[in-house]
Amino acid sequence: ADSGYTAWLSYPVLPQGNAYNQYVKWCGAVKVAEENDTVQAALQEWQRGIESMLGIKVSSKPDGLCIAIGTFQGGNELISGVFAEDTLAKVGPEGFAIRSSEENDCIAVGASSPAGVLYGVFHLLRLIGSLQSIEGLDEVVNPVNGLRMINHWDNFDGSVERGYSGRSFLYEDNRFTRDLERIRDYARLMSSAGINAIAINNVNVHALETLFISKYLPDVSRIADVFRLYGIKLFLSVNFAGPMHEGEVGTADPLDPEVRKWWQSKAAEIYAAIPDFGGFVVKADSENRPGPFTYGRDHADGANMLAEALEPFGGIVIWRCFVYNCKQDWRDRKTDRARAAYDHFKPLDGKFNDNVILQIKNGPMDFQVREPVSPLFGALERTNQVIEFQIAQEYTGQQRHVCYLVPQWKEIMEFNTYAKGEASPVKHIVDGSLWGNRYSGIAAVSNVGNDKNWTGHLLAQANLYGYGRLAWNPELTAEQIASEWISLTFGTDPVVSGVISRILLDSWEIYESYTAPLGVGWMINPEHHYGPNVDGYEYSQWGTYHYADHRGIGVDRTVKTGTGYSAQYLGSNAEHYDSLEECPDELLLFFHHVPYTHILHSGKTVIQHIYDAHFEGAERAAELLSMWTSLKDKVAEGLYLQVENRLKEQAGHAKEWRDQINTYFYRKSGIEDNSERVIY
Ligand code: GCW
């Protein structure tokens, strides 16, 4: 347990007291009537959790109070006795109902599907693990988002693109793992957080991975079997040029009948092996991946061709919108990478088949610590869409720095697009309610690897857990999610909870303040993206510039004098961002090029803000470490040390960031820090 492997399913022993007594009273016995594998998995989880948290044995022969678990049709008379007809009607395909019934001597967890049973059991375990009352429960809980997906960027050779937690636990040396136990534990973790879809291979599909839909199908199918137990559908990333790659067709032109036939028969083969296969994830015409552009076709042609192949089997195509010119000339100030997704996909709105979902990164660039929300949210009125977050901390400290991302995701989900009147937040586009989409939801790039604790930094587990919880219910607050995760991982000591909560909740702001000021981004080392390098991407082909000179800094994305990106937003958002006066400070340099002496809403000049933020940020990073050390005797030693080590590195590294950024801008601007601190 000291390694972090059991994560938020550690089931720490609960303290004696009223809550404990209440749990013991009800949880001594459990009644399950179904043989279904998923229901049985739920039962096992229940026993494991209760026995560990309460230190009691759970009997399966109730006489007296008990917990009843099962589907509504599963033949458990306790379940059918407890729930009224109208309750049943409210429970969706993945939802559950839970009711404490004194007259029936039981607390019943009922659902319409086995997966719902599992979610219900995890819910009840979570209540107990965070010392909440289980008496008087009477609720129906349904997930808000249909698709709650994880994307792995794992490669068959065992490497993980942007992986910061060791190697892959899915593959090693071009073989599928034989450690199905670990896959099962992973599925348990994911299901307990509410995840129902996982794409197991990198969106950059290399040569051997292209064969996952053919030669390696039996291996894929073994993973799908494990996922299925936990209500998770398996997806694969596919190579758009697959038909050529396998040498069977000479082209990948989506309008070529041979190509269409090829994909159709592939789909049939896949579904013969994996009847509940989820579908394809596709990165096309992006960063040198093949796609429909080669044949003069558009992305609707490409996506629809695949969609047609999957439709008869109920499969879906998740088509990524991360399409931009990655061979830009840095001298050219007209081309703007931020515009690209909108420019490519807005004109195609309404042209995609019903089983295509566009997957849109949360921001217009690429998972920076601060970006505006992608203007595609709000612009696509007749297209299924999911938002893509990155749990992996590619640009937010690579799981060596702590950066709890749930507050960032919350902010994005709450962003008002004005797409359909005053209240059109991203979360209502994402959950499908704003436009009434057939499919919708959330996807995110995984942050797990084969490190014993899954995520490298133990505190990065909070992002994985938090992502799932937020995908299930975007109304949960970042504080609630943090506090759940802390109890389930470390136990219920309020002192521990208070400290870790603060560390998590402050961490994004702290990371932003010693790295990227005012929305500027990309001041990192090329390729691996770790650590400061102000001009690392300034003269590159990637479209990622800050344009700092001796007078000022920032990208002019206004309509009059800049790239016109600000006009991709709707209503007052467009005006806000376009206006130098109204643009919020934290995004100022994303939208405007200003002199260092420009005065922010905060009253500081831009240059003074840069100095202050970096000095303060590095100081606060050091404080994170001292906060953590106050927990030395309160957290299991193994867990304690893991975090201590990472926070030490962070504190040191934050100083490096501080000094490089401050020195760079001091030398460029020649303007002194008004507090006369040391700048080199
Ligand atoms: O964030 C960038 C990464 C690439 C990645 C790409 C993408 C999988 O630097 O490594 O490729 O985005 O999202 O496709």
Side-chain angles (χ1 to χ4, degrees):
D2 243 25
S3 66
Y5 180 77
T6 50
W8 57 86
L9 297 180
S10 295
Y11 302 118
V13 178
L14 294 177
Q16 298 290 320
N18 291 344
Y20 177 87
N21 295 339
Q22 186 197 78
Y23 305 148
V24 170
K25 177 174 128 199
W26 288 96
C27 302
V30 62
K31 176 95 201 281
V32 172
E34 283 153 276
E35 290 305 317
N36 174 282
D37 290 343
T38 298
V39 175
Q40 286 296 318
L43 171 63
Q44 273 177 35
E45 197 66 38
W46 176 255
Q47 286 165 328
R48 184 199 298 243
I50 290 305
E51 295 183 3
S52 166
M53 289 189 287
L54 306 182
I56 58 171
K57 277 264 159 245
V58 177
S59 134
S60 49
K61 301 224 166 19
D63 90 78
L65 300 183
C66 77
I67 305 293
I69 296 171
T71 60
F72 298 130
Q73 306 78 20
N76 189 337
E77 67 279 1
L78 281 174
I79 302 273
S80 25
V82 164
F83 294 109
E85 275 304 312
D86 63 322
T87 305
L88 267 54
K90 288 185 209 139
V91 180
E94 293 183 296
F96 58 87
I98 186 161
R99 181 157 174 249
S100 321
S101 166
E102 299 279 347
E103 71 268 27
N104 292 288
D105 285 343
C106 80
I107 297 177
V109 180
S112 19
S113 71
V117 173
L118 200 51
Y119 294 134
V121 164
F122 280 123
H123 177 84
L124 193 53
L125 286 167
R126 194 160 47 230
L127 291 180
I128 295 174
S130 47
L131 292 182
Q132 298 179 58
S133 174
I134 57 169
E135 280 173 1
L137 294 175
D138 189 4
E139 52 180 336
V140 169
V141 182
N142 288 301
V144 173
N145 290 294
L147 195 74
R148 306 178 300 279
M149 180 175 214
I150 293 278
N151 291 179
H152 279 264
W153 286 357
D154 295 38
N155 299 315
F156 204 23
D157 66 5
S159 63
V160 179
E161 182 152 351
R162 311 308 175 187
Y164 311 108
S165 329
R167 310 259 309 162
S168 173
F169 60 81
L170 292 161
Y171 322 107
E172 201 189 324
D173 295 331
N174 298 326
R175 270 197 237 134
F176 279 74
T177 181
R178 287 185 209 116
D179 186 359
L180 290 181
E181 255 328 283
R182 183 152 192 171
I183 303 286
R184 183 166 173 147
D185 285 332
Y186 178 56
R188 288 174 52 227
L189 285 168
M190 292 300 91
S191 165
S192 71
I195 298 300
N196 67 356
I198 301 183
I200 61 168
N201 63 313
N202 189 358
V203 290
N204 291 323
V205 184
H206 307 295
L208 289 174
E209 292 86 340
T210 299
L211 308 178
F212 278 17
I213 53 171
S214 45
K215 179 173 167 193
Y216 296 105
L217 213 41
D219 297 292
V220 175
S221 155
R222 268 191 291 280
I223 308 266
D225 289 343
V226 182
F227 283 1
R228 183 176 305 113
L229 263 179
Y230 287 91
I232 298 166
K233 280 193 177 181
L234 184 144
F235 286 69
L236 288 172
S237 298
V238 294
N239 182 346
F240 192 80
M244 297 168 78
H245 197 92
E246 296 207 30
E248 290 163 20
V249 188
T251 170
D253 180 353
L255 299 192
D256 184 293
E258 293 267 332
V259 172
R260 299 180 91 89
K261 235 196 272 142
W262 189 87
W263 282 107
Q264 284 159 13
S265 63
K266 266 298 155 233
E269 284 166 38
I270 296 169
Y271 280 91
I274 309 170
D276 57 351
F277 179 69
F280 297 151
V281 178
V282 193
K283 173 175 178 178
D285 293 316
S286 165
E287 300 184 329
N288 309 312
R289 305 315 300 157
F293 286 166
T294 311
Y295 309 97
R297 315 295 184 196
D298 67 26
H299 280 224
D301 295 327
N304 291 343
M305 179 265 298
L306 296 174
E308 193 183 273
L310 296 176
E311 176 74 53
F313 309 98
I316 56 183
V317 174
I318 301 182
W319 189 272
R320 295 176 85 233
C321 294
F322 188 58
V323 179
Y324 69 99
N325 176 6
C326 67
K327 301 227 165 62
Q328 199 184 314
D329 182 349
W330 58 267
R331 297 165 192 83
D332 159 24
R333 288 178 86 138
K334 285 273 165 306
T335 309
D336 180 4
R337 170 165 166 185
R339 295 187 55 116
Y342 182 104
D343 285 345
H344 281 294
F345 286 93
K346 168 72 181 164
L348 300 178
D349 188 21
K351 300 214 165 113
F352 292 93
N353 287 8
D354 223 18
N355 62 328
V356 174
I357 309 179
L358 295 188
Q359 179 163 311
I360 306 165
K361 286 194 182 186
N362 64 260
M365 296 297 281
D366 193 12
F367 305 130
Q368 300 300 292
V369 66
R370 174 77 64 177
E371 288 184 45
V373 170
S374 169
L376 264 185
F377 294 107
L380 299 174
E381 303 182 8
R382 285 162 299 146
T383 303
N384 298 318
Q385 51 202 295
V386 295
I387 195 167
E388 177 177 340
F389 291 131
Q390 193 183 41
I391 315 173
Q393 292 169 239
E394 178 176 1
Y395 301 96
T396 50
Q398 304 201 348
Q399 288 144 244
R400 291 156 80 174
H401 297 224
V402 56
C403 189
Y404 178 55
L405 290 166
V406 176
Q408 187 201 49
W409 300 331
K410 284 287 292 184
E411 207 171 285
I412 293 161
M413 296 284 270
E414 296 299 331
F415 178 77
N416 193 356
T417 65
Y418 297 105
K420 208 172 170 191
E422 280 306 304
S424 309
V426 169
K427 67 182 176 192
H428 290 160
I429 295 176
V430 162
D431 70 19
S433 63
L434 197 81
W435 305 120
N437 302 99
R438 176 174 174 199
Y439 293 109
S440 62
I442 311 198
V445 182
S446 158
N447 67 345
V448 296
N450 72 353
D451 276 358
K452 197 77 215 205
N453 72 1
W454 303 93
T455 53
H457 203 311
L458 185 73
L459 299 183
Q461 286 181 0
N463 284 331
L464 185 58
Y465 177 80
Y467 165 71
R469 296 289 289 139
L470 198 67
W472 178 279
N473 180 9
E475 300 307 322
L476 294 172
T477 66
E479 291 79 2
Q480 276 172 311
I481 292 174
S483 115
E484 277 180 8
W485 176 76
I486 296 165
S487 303
L488 301 176
T489 307
F490 297 97
T492 53
D493 179 342
V495 174
V496 173
S497 182
V499 171
I500 302 181
S501 233
R502 277 226 21 229
I503 293 178
L504 291 176
L505 292 165
D506 290 349
S507 60
W508 174 40
E509 192 182 289
I510 295 175
Y511 188 79
E512 178 178 23
S513 65
Y514 63 79
T515 57
L518 307 169
V520 96
W522 298 105
M523 300 192 299
I524 41 164
N525 285 300
E527 289 172 23
H528 62 71
H529 298 169
Y530 188 67
N533 184 344
V534 181
D535 283 338
Y537 274 104
E538 194 56 17
Y539 307 104
S540 76
Q541 57 174 10
W542 297 95
T544 46
Y545 318 115
H546 53 64
Y547 299 125
D549 61 18
H550 71 288
R551 277 188 294 253
I553 177 174
V555 188
D556 186 351
R557 294 192 159 105
T558 63
V559 173
K560 263 214 190 98
T561 53
T563 68
Y565 166 77
S566 62
Q568 292 184 343
Y569 290 89
L570 298 166
S572 59
N573 286 336
E575 290 151 33
H576 252 59
Y577 289 143
D578 200 62
S579 148
L580 184 57
E581 290 71 43
E582 286 176 30
C583 185
D585 284 352
E586 73 268 15
L587 287 171
L588 184 74
L589 302 180
F590 195 94
F591 286 96
H592 299 272
H593 185 91
V594 299
Y596 294 111
T597 50
H598 173 87
I599 313 255
L600 300 167
H601 295 125
S602 70
K604 292 181 185 180
T605 61
V606 165
I607 190 73
Q608 195 56 46
H609 173 91
I610 293 178
Y611 297 151
D612 289 351
H614 286 78
F615 282 114
E616 278 159 26
E619 220 167 277
R620 292 179 75 194
E623 278 163 27
L624 292 175
L625 175 62
S626 46
M627 285 162 76
W628 181 258
T629 51
S630 75
L631 298 180
K632 188 160 172 79
D633 302 316
K634 296 186 181 301
V635 167
E637 198 189 2
L639 303 182
Y640 173 82
L641 290 174
Q642 288 183 33
V643 176
E644 187 187 60
N645 283 332
R646 302 258 162 169
L647 290 178
K648 276 188 188 154
E649 176 184 345
Q650 178 175 359
H653 200 221
K655 289 191 189 136
E656 192 59 29
W657 271 98
R658 174 196 68 196
D659 291 339
Q660 285 204 31
I661 304 282
N662 282 344
T663 301
Y664 179 98
F665 288 105
Y666 174 62
R667 291 181 186 174
K668 275 254 147 135
S669 70
I671 300 174
E672 301 289 337
D673 166 33
N674 65 15
S675 300
E676 291 168 26
R677 289 161 290 196
V678 183
I679 299 179
Y680 298 88

